[in-house]
Amino acid sequence: MALENGQKIDRIALATAGILLALVVFRMATIVLGDYELYADEAQYWRWSRTLDWGYYSKPPMVAWVISASTSVFGHGEWAIRMPAPILHTIAAGAIFLLGRAMYGVTAGSLAALGYALMPGVIVSSAVISTDGVLLPFWCIGLCLYWRLREQELGLVGAGLLGAVVGAAFLSKYAALYFGIGIALTTLIDLETRRSVLSRKGLVAGLVATAVFAPHLLWNLAHDFSTVSHTVDNANLGGPLFNLENLPKFLADQMGVFGPIGFLALLGGVFVFPRKARPHIARRDRWLLCFILPVLVIICLQSVLSRAHANWAATAYPAASVLVTAWLLRAERNRPLWLAIAGVTLLAFQLAPDVTMTLKLGVGIGAAIIILAIGAAVSWRPAGLLVASLGLHALLMVSAGALFASPPAVTAALGVDNALKRVRGWEAATQQVAHAAVSIDATAILVDEREVWHGIDYYGRDRLPAPLIAWRRNAGVKSFSENRPMTDDIDDTVLLASYRPGFRPRIRSDFERMERIGEVRIPLGERSNGCLIERRLVLYRLSGFAPQPRTADWEAEFDGLQEAPNPACPPVR
């Protein structure tokens, strides 16, 4: 019997590894075959990767290091910049398998790993390079090693590895702070964890984590804590501090990140599900919740106080993948649960942005029917929800991959062009802006939008005819694109490629002469209502740079003013 059980475990582990390998190959192929350009954040990270450092304007350094490693081997094409993303998420899924197997058994580990790999947020994150995609592998490995520390399965070398992984997580994104909160809570509520953390091994892990992260702290100290300051600014707590209407949207977004079935099961497990678990299993549940609930509660609070982007709670879902799997595997038959999840899933699809109502309704109804069909087939056992979730997410992944490789005519027919506009048209826009700069013999190219700066910076790399400079509305630097001072190169003839009509009167005040010479209009597809989408840059010849003091009076002088505003979106004939 022991041999048979061992063989079964090995078969499940091998099958899981095979599926994860197939997923990463599919995702790598999609990236190579896809014809989408970099969006602004990816282009920004690429720019950082050209000069390696211990920190950058708005983020810790790991994402730049990862891109540098990839581009040093494969070159600087879009696919080479994005290629680490699916590999890193596959590593994360492997760590989730090991964690789930150690805590609840090999079946739970396998389903949790596949649930993570097919999570909608991971599907998207595997197609782009982002700080979340770089953070999550370290987070998942850290969870696995931390559990092994709790179980007395790590030696001093393993404890040092845990510290190195946690330090690397902090070098990836400051959201790793939630890992520290999880450590504090598990130490507080769990005796075995407390003994491990307060041991010599825990001390080694803490010292190594500090040593790994310390160079970034020193970099911030030498750069006026620019990364920390940007993170604080990003919280946007300067406005009205009670926006309860943001909370439902944030929760709906989480269904899009974790998947509607998984997120509803998570909420049900916390608030509704009657869970009959032996004490040692219940302690494991609570241990994982320490890495889930603080993230969700804090970001929910942030959404009410100001705003919260959908991905800000991403670190809750590695542990949630394991916990939800364990809950559903041991839950009793429950037909109302299936009906509720099918109904909410149908509604959740109606909240998808930038997609036609017909597509949303059709996909939502189809998903609800599939859920109910699977529920009937498994006699309404909640474990079947794992199959339903994996099936729906796999279908979503294949559809997204096909969409990524589809020509614009297909995306227009599906009504998703608006969702893709940020990854289109930068090469064409850069070529036209460069041509205009040559035609007026410009000594600098000035832009008034960070996304435009990063798009032109990447697609004009090593071939722009003049330095690229971002105009500053504020006295200080408010984005990485504004790091280059507005001096020297803009004392002569300057080409302004302006994206923002409301900034143009202010820019005019900074120059003695400002003459409109044309515009760039790049078609990006169609909106779901039939309107054309385009990237429009109005071109000006500037000279006589005489910057105005950035005072409150100067700012108020131009309130509500626009120059050459964008025309109303005309319907397609």
Side-chain angles (χ1 to χ4, degrees), residues 111 115 258-266 268-269 273 324-325 327-329 331-343 345 367-368 370-393:
L111 292 172
F258 193 43
I261 294 175
F263 190 68
L264 292 171
L266 176 61
F273 275 175
V324 167
T325 299
W327 279 345
L328 291 177
L329 284 176
E332 298 176 353
R333 182 162 38 186
N334 191 329
R335 182 162 58 180
L337 173 66
W338 282 85
L339 295 173
I341 286 182
T345 298
I370 291 173
I371 291 171
L372 293 177
I374 293 174
V378 299
S379 301
W380 310 108
R381 289 189 295 272
L385 286 167
L386 295 170
V387 177
S389 181
L390 291 176
L392 287 174
H393 294 174

Side-chain angles (χ1 to χ4, degrees), residues 73-273:
V73 177
F74 300 113
H76 295 276
E78 294 94 338
W79 71 269
I81 293 169
R82 290 170 170 155
M83 188 57 68
I87 298 172
L88 291 172
H89 278 300
T90 303
I91 293 171
I96 290 296
F97 169 75
L98 296 176
L99 176 65
R101 184 179 67 176
M103 297 186 76
Y104 300 107
V106 68
T107 300
S110 177
L111 292 172
L114 298 180
Y116 172 89
L118 290 170
M119 193 191 313
V122 170
I123 292 172
V124 174
S125 185
S126 294
V128 299
I129 192 71
S130 68
T131 51
D132 287 321
V134 176
L135 165 66
L136 287 173
F138 294 115
W139 182 283
C140 295
I141 295 171
L143 275 178
C144 184
L145 291 174
Y146 186 47
W147 177 256
R148 291 190 62 191
L149 179 73
R150 187 248 192 206
E151 296 292 283
Q152 301 296 323
E153 295 175 357
L154 289 185
L156 287 176
V157 173
L161 179 59
L162 169 61
V165 168
V166 173
F170 275 96
L171 290 177
S172 302
K173 191 173 182 179
Y174 290 156
L177 178 64
Y178 298 123
F179 200 96
I181 295 175
I183 290 175
L185 290 176
T186 52
T187 301
L188 182 65
I189 70 168
D190 184 64
L191 177 60
E192 288 83 358
T193 301
R194 185 159 58 250
R195 287 172 176 168
S196 298
V197 169
L198 300 180
S199 69
R200 184 174 59 164
K201 295 174 186 177
L203 177 62
V204 168
L207 290 175
V208 172
T210 302
V212 170
F213 188 59
H216 177 65
L217 291 177
L218 294 175
W219 180 91
N220 261 291
L221 181 62
H223 292 80
D224 299 320
F225 288 95
S226 62
T227 306
V228 176
S229 299
H230 173 82
T231 303
V232 173
D233 289 343
N234 208 31
N236 195 35
L237 296 177
L241 294 181
F242 193 76
N243 305 275
L244 192 59
E245 69 278 5
N246 291 344
L247 183 58
K249 180 183 183 304
F250 172 74
L251 294 176
D253 287 344
Q254 298 318 292
M255 287 191 283
V257 174
F258 193 43
I261 294 175
F263 190 68
L264 292 171
L266 176 61
L267 295 182
V270 173
F271 298 110
V272 178
F273 275 175

Side-chain angles (χ1 to χ4, degrees), residues 194-477:
R194 185 159 58 250
R195 287 172 176 168
S196 298
V197 169
L198 300 180
S199 69
R200 184 174 59 164
K201 295 174 186 177
L203 177 62
V204 168
L207 290 175
V208 172
T210 302
V212 170
F213 188 59
H216 177 65
L217 291 177
L218 294 175
W219 180 91
N220 261 291
L221 181 62
H223 292 80
D224 299 320
F225 288 95
S226 62
T227 306
V228 176
S229 299
H230 173 82
T231 303
V232 173
D233 289 343
N234 208 31
N236 195 35
L237 296 177
L241 294 181
F242 193 76
N243 305 275
L244 192 59
E245 69 278 5
N246 291 344
L247 183 58
K249 180 183 183 304
F250 172 74
L251 294 176
D253 287 344
Q254 298 318 292
M255 287 191 283
V257 174
F258 193 43
I261 294 175
F263 190 68
L264 292 171
L266 176 61
L267 295 182
V270 173
F271 298 110
V272 178
F273 275 175
R275 299 187 303 279
K276 298 179 180 179
R278 288 171 289 179
H280 77 284
I281 296 296
R283 286 196 295 271
R284 297 178 182 212
D285 293 355
R286 290 192 295 270
W287 193 91
L288 286 173
L289 282 170
C290 290
F291 292 92
I292 301 170
L293 291 184
V295 182
L296 293 176
V297 170
I298 290 171
I299 303 301
C300 281
L301 180 61
Q302 165 70 24
S303 74
V304 172
L305 292 179
S306 173
R307 60 176 183 176
H309 296 305
N311 67 305
W312 285 5
T315 52
Y317 299 122
S321 297
V322 177
L323 185 58
V324 167
T325 299
W327 279 345
L328 291 177
L329 284 176
R330 67 176 184 250
E332 298 176 353
R333 182 162 38 186
N334 191 329
R335 182 162 58 180
L337 173 66
W338 282 85
L339 295 173
I341 286 182
V344 175
T345 298
L346 170 60
L347 294 176
F349 276 104
Q350 309 318 302
L351 301 175
D354 303 321
V355 181
T356 62
M357 181 61 69
T358 301
L359 182 62
K360 290 190 288 189
L361 189 61
V363 172
I365 292 174
I369 291 173
I370 291 173
I371 291 171
L372 293 177
I374 293 174
V378 299
S379 301
W380 310 108
R381 289 189 295 272
L385 286 167
L386 295 170
V387 177
S389 181
L390 291 176
L392 287 174
H393 294 174
L395 181 60
L396 174 64
M397 183 196 71
V398 173
S399 301
L403 186 66
F404 206 67
S406 297
V410 173
T411 60
L414 293 174
V416 297
D417 282 340
N418 198 48
L420 300 171
K421 64 185 178 183
R422 295 179 65 196
V423 291
R424 287 176 168 171
W426 293 113
E427 174 77 45
T430 300
Q431 290 179 358
Q432 294 191 36
V433 169
H435 178 75
V438 170
S439 70
I440 66 170
D441 196 21
T443 58
I445 299 170
L446 193 67
V447 297
D448 58 3
E449 162 60 39
R450 65 170 294 272
E451 290 197 10
V452 174
W453 190 94
H454 286 297
I456 294 177
D457 176 56
Y458 175 76
Y459 287 98
R461 60 192 185 279
D462 305 322
R463 48 198 170 114
L464 286 178
L468 180 66
I469 300 174
W471 176 77
R472 294 183 186 178
R473 179 178 180 177
N474 303 283
V477 174

